[in-house]
Amino acid sequence: MRIFCSLIVIFIFTTSSAHSDDLDVDLSRPDVQLNVSFKGSELLIFGAKDLQGDVIIVVRGPTKDTSVRLKQKIMGVWANTDEVVFADAPSYYALAATQPISELLSAKDLKTERIGTHNLGLNTIKKPKGATAKIVQDFTDGLIRNMKAKSLYTKETGIVKRVGRQLFRTNLWFPSNVSVGDYTVDTFLVVDKKIESRKTTHLQVHKVGFEAKVFNFAHEHAMLYGLLAIVIAVISGWVANVVFKTEGQ
Amino acid sequence: MQIYLPIAEISVNIFLILGMGGGVGFLSGLFGVGGGFLMTPLLIFIGIPPAIAVSTGANQIVASSISGVLAHWKRGNVDLKMGYMLLIGGVVGSTLGVWLFTYLKTLGQVDLVIQLSYVLFLGTIGLLMLIESLKSMRALKKGPIKRKHHNFLHALPFKMRFRHSKLYISAILPIVIGFVVGVLSAIMGVGGGFVMVPAMIYILGMPTSVMVGTSLFQIIFVTANVTFLQSVNNFSVDVVLAVLLLIGAVVGAQFGAKAGAKLKGEQVRILLAIMVISVCIKIALDLTLTPDDIYVLGPTGGH
């Protein structure tokens, strides 16, 4: 994947007139660590550009097949009915730009570059029989609304601030329910409705310390974890009984 | 102060969880019930994924039942023979329940089944309790009421003598009751005391002295079985969340028990009935009122 990415980068740099050092991007930290006290985290993305122009930053989280269901009222009760499964939907999507994106690039370019939550370009793995494009679009909109409600997709385009003529910066918010994995940060430099330069950086979100140990243990040694959970409960219950009995008398 | 839960994968306020544990513990001490039927809906309400809430609820109930059963054990209020019969049904029922839970999850219907079970069981039990306690309150003025019924249940085969409970009944009865409670335990994340205790009174005709102790004895093993199977099949037990809940619950239960000693038995039952019905109404409204969004993320998405 990384080789593929760098091939694309080389391809772009050799075919476009842009200089490779038009654009530099870095993050305030190379990773987001999910530890016991994690309650969401802010990350600073900053960079410098040589040319006059606008900046668009897109951050995508690890992808996974995501199921969306339609609730319908059946016998007076809201129940899940039709299901659409989207292939490789990003678990996180953030967008920030110096100006509204519709003013920076044509709708066609935004679509090919997958910029904006309405341009995710999702494919379906599973859909109800005879589902029209309109119906699938309703499910797509439903997915985006749900992810926005969880603060996992940006509700509104974030603001990339210019600092002087060359520097720019933006803040990204990672809520406490983010998925672990590899995140890509794509930065585009746009001049006269054309992408002049682009840069891809990576960001890791991972569990550390106690959280990582518990999570890995629960998944790798599920039986032992289950037994341990019971032992902890038994001991706590017994201790509680002993402690409160002596205090009560 | 926020704490990040490693399995639920969200950040929660530690004092909110301790407080919830304490509040439910207080009520469980007051009413002599496990409180799982309050805890699991509360956990779902504050944003814990339903699967995690159900499994972690079961884990927490193991602790509170142990703590409760020890007190009854010392007073000799556990009918072991009856407990074992309930347990046979309970282990089979809870194993089937976890399997059913996993299957419903793949169908995307697990939330609906959890909610419907809550409405059905809490509604029925709550109403029965309310009517019964109102009746007996009136009857108290006239004289004691007769509790033992003789019907077809007493004609069933495989009769066994339960000395402790002073009963001679078919072993099928406690096994079936244990089975039903086991299934509910796995699906609803409850101990099932609120189903078992009425069943013990009205179907088995057990004396009240051994009822709670024996029910707690069975609940320990059934919820332990659920904890184990949910850990293995669904990776959905959050030990950190369970420990926080049980710290709150054991402390709350002590105060609840003291408060309960000051109330009359009938008053306690009416209050419990009202609370059970309130939870039922809340969940029924969630099911029937138009949701915020008619499109929801399925089990493969979200976390």
Side-chain angles (χ1 to χ4, degrees), chain A residues 34-40 64-73 76-81 83 85 135 138-139 141-143 145-147 150 152 176-180 207 210-212 214-215 218-220 222-227 229-230 232-234 236-238 240-241 244-245 248, chain B residues 2-7 9-12 59-60 62-64 66-71 74 105-109 111-112 115-116 220 223-225 227-228 231-233 235 237-240 243 246 250-251 254-255 258 286-291 293-303:
Chain A
L34 309 186
N35 56 23
V36 180
S37 58
F38 182 73
K39 52 184 183 224
K64 76 168 90 153
D65 298 345
T66 305
S67 142
V68 178
R69 286 175 190 274
L70 173 64
K71 269 189 186 293
Q72 280 177 312
K73 210 164 191 179
V77 166
W78 288 92
N80 289 348
T81 55
E83 181 187 29
V85 180
I135 289 173
D138 286 344
F139 276 87
D141 294 343
L143 168 74
R145 267 199 312 277
N146 270 283
M147 295 302 273
K150 290 174 161 219
L152 289 169
S176 86
N177 52 349
V178 285
S179 297
V180 294
K207 290 183 177 161
F210 178 69
E211 308 302 292
V214 174
F215 184 85
H219 283 257
E220 288 162 20
M223 281 195 182
L224 208 57
Y225 178 87
L227 289 176
I230 296 167
I232 292 173
V234 170
S236 325
W238 180 71
N241 180 275
F244 283 101
K245 207 194 145 203
Chain B
Q2 298 288 118
I3 184 165
Y4 183 77
L5 302 171
I7 306 294
E9 301 188 305
I10 61 160
S11 169
V12 291
N59 191 16
Q60 185 258 322
V62 176
S64 54
I66 292 262
S67 162
V69 87
L70 287 173
K74 280 167 202 156
K105 216 169 116 181
T106 61
L107 285 185
Q109 301 300 353
D111 296 1
L112 179 69
Q115 286 173 315
L116 282 177
I220 293 169
T223 48
N225 189 36
T227 304
F228 180 73
S231 300
V232 175
N233 292 336
F235 309 112
V237 175
D238 196 310
V239 175
V240 176
V243 168
L246 68 89
V250 291
V251 176
Q254 308 302 320
F255 291 103
K258 274 174 199 156
D286 289 347
L287 273 175
T288 49
L289 294 180
T290 309
D293 197 327
I294 53 168
Y295 292 91
V296 289
L297 296 183
T300 50
H303 72 87

